[in-house]
Amino acid sequence: MKRIISLALCFLILLFAVGCSAAEDEKSDDNLIVVGFSQLGSESDWRAANTQSISLALSEENGYKLLFDNAKQNQENQLMAIRNFILQGVDIIVLAPAAETGWDNVLLEAKAAGIPVIIVDREVSVEDENLYMGRIGSDFLKEGEIAVSWLGNKLVSLGRGTEQINILHVKGTDGSTAQIMRTRALEEGVAGRSNWTIAAQLSGEFTEAKGYEVVRDYLKTNTDIDVIYSENDNMTFGAMRALDEAGLTYGENGEIIIISFDAVREALGYCLEGKINLCVECNPLHGALLDQLIKQYYAGESIPKYTYVEEAYFTRDNLSLEFIENRLY
């Protein structure tokens, strides 16, 4: 009998301890800002660095509980994730949108639930910009304009300023802000120069595999290329492999000038070697700025509608091995 009573007491103590622990956890969670983050995918080195930056900034140690969803580059998955975040009653929603359009209804639902939304990386095109609180990301049009301007100066320095220049354009995911703006910059640059021609526009979907596939197939029947304008590094890596297989040279001492966007560590290594002529930076480190904006919001301060990250561009002339090795992405 004593043994039964003793076991019962132990059981009650255990239940009490578990209950206290759960209460403490619940109390601890109540002090955290709950953020639902819909990341569009994991298609590139840039995207991995972006996810890591935000995850580190929105850590429990920094006062957050992060609910993360990988949409695998599917907008429907993002719409479902946002609605789940609304049902869970998160404090903030962070969205890295797969495309610019198609967000009005779900953002209206978030607003009706009293949940502010911050857009990261790309932009959204909505009828009412008050449906989201602010956006953190790059000035993609400026990135493209930097690349076009650099190309014009490069061709002049090579004595090719008046030659006919055929540009192979490898686009990112159609409808994304980066694709729209980088494409606009190139098309406007070509329109302003009578000797520049876009030989073809291929959709590489921001992945190395697709970049390789579309460039490989194009080169089977067309090899008259002077420039490859590739809208991200991973597509560039695929394009380089296709050029190698076709026996075409590229880079500083090659037949084809290569322009790439993102400037991840591997691409900068190729740039230092002279295999990529220009890397235009697209900074994925949004975490610290996101943390700053959220805390400004909770402090009752006004939030800027657009916050641009600092970016640069790189050629072999302004790179060093030490710089590349110390790079965070």
Side-chain angles (χ1 to χ4, degrees):
M1 183 67 176
K2 288 181 179 179
R3 185 179 178 189
I4 293 172
I5 293 172
S6 177
L7 288 171
L9 285 171
C10 287
F11 181 69
L12 289 172
I13 290 169
L14 179 61
L15 282 177
F16 179 77
V18 170
C20 288
S21 176
E24 287 174 4
D25 287 344
E26 186 176 344
K27 184 178 179 181
S28 176
D29 284 351
D30 285 344
N31 294 326
L32 299 176
I33 299 171
V34 182
V35 179
F37 176 29
S38 175
Q39 177 61 285
L40 72 91
S42 52
E43 77 285 357
S44 64
D45 296 342
W46 189 98
R47 188 65 52 194
N50 182 247
T51 297
Q52 182 181 39
S53 173
I54 291 173
S55 298
L56 289 173
L58 304 188
S59 65
E60 287 195 14
E61 293 77 14
N62 202 22
Y64 297 94
K65 180 177 180 180
L66 181 63
L67 306 180
F68 176 81
D69 185 87
N70 183 340
K72 300 178 181 177
Q73 292 185 278
N74 186 313
Q75 187 176 22
E76 289 301 318
N77 290 341
Q78 292 198 286
L79 296 173
M80 187 183 303
I82 291 171
R83 290 188 168 108
N84 283 335
F85 292 150
I86 294 170
L87 287 173
Q88 293 174 75
V90 301
D91 299 310
I92 300 272
I93 291 173
V94 175
L95 168 64
E100 285 200 355
T101 59
W103 303 105
D104 292 80
N105 289 339
V106 75
L107 294 186
L108 189 60
E109 292 168 28
K111 186 174 183 179
I115 302 173
V117 176
I118 297 176
I119 309 299
V120 295
D121 181 24
R122 304 171 180 179
E123 296 184 23
V124 294
S125 177
V126 290
E127 289 187 12
D128 180 5
E129 287 200 344
N130 292 319
L131 292 178
Y132 65 94
M133 185 163 60
R135 181 237 171 189
I136 298 170
S138 299
D139 187 336
F140 297 112
L141 181 60
K142 182 180 178 181
E143 290 175 358
E145 289 171 344
I146 286 170
V148 169
S149 176
W150 176 89
L151 178 59
N153 292 332
K154 179 69 172 178
L155 291 169
V156 169
S157 72
L158 294 173
R160 303 180 61 190
T162 59
E163 285 185 20
Q164 180 63 40
I165 300 298
N166 293 323
I167 302 170
L168 180 60
H169 178 198
V170 186
K171 300 192 300 175
T173 304
D174 287 325
S176 67
T177 310
Q179 178 274 311
I180 292 170
M181 294 303 178
R182 291 170 184 164
T183 295
R184 180 187 298 177
L186 177 62
E187 290 176 345
E188 289 178 353
V190 169
R193 295 169 173 84
S194 60
N195 60 315
W196 288 17
T197 301
I198 297 177
Q201 292 180 304
L202 313 176
S203 184
E205 299 175 2
F206 286 131
T207 70
E208 183 170 345
K210 191 66 175 179
Y212 164 73
E213 177 188 319
V214 295
V215 175
R216 178 202 62 194
D217 292 348
Y218 180 81
L219 293 176
K220 288 177 181 178
T221 56
N222 304 274
T223 57
D224 185 15
I225 303 168
D226 299 294
V227 178
I228 288 182
Y229 180 99
S230 172
E231 292 184 351
N232 91 331
D233 290 334
N234 287 84
M235 295 190 303
T236 301
F237 303 152
M240 290 163 63
R241 181 152 59 98
L243 291 172
D244 288 336
E245 291 178 2
L248 297 173
T249 61
Y250 51 88
E252 290 296 335
N253 299 311
E255 307 161 81
I256 299 169
I257 294 170
I258 292 186
I259 294 172
S260 189
F261 292 84
D262 284 358
V264 299
R265 189 184 295 112
E266 184 178 357
L268 292 183
Y270 286 129
C271 194
L272 184 61
E273 292 177 35
K275 293 181 177 179
I276 294 176
N277 299 79
L278 176 70
C279 283
V280 181
E281 183 177 35
C282 182
N283 186 347
L285 305 182
H286 299 165
L289 286 173
L290 181 57
D291 169 46
Q292 178 182 320
L293 289 190
I294 292 174
K295 287 179 176 170
Q296 282 180 227
Y297 167 73
Y298 274 95
E301 299 174 16
S302 61
I303 304 300
K305 201 65 179 179
Y306 294 96
T307 302
Y308 291 122
V309 290
E310 293 184 5
E311 296 175 331
Y313 66 93
F314 304 96
T315 67
R316 186 166 62 176
D317 295 335
N318 66 348
L319 281 173
S320 68
L321 186 59
E322 181 182 9
F323 175 84
I324 296 170
E325 288 176 345
N326 291 327
R327 194 161 176 79
L328 294 176
Y329 56 93

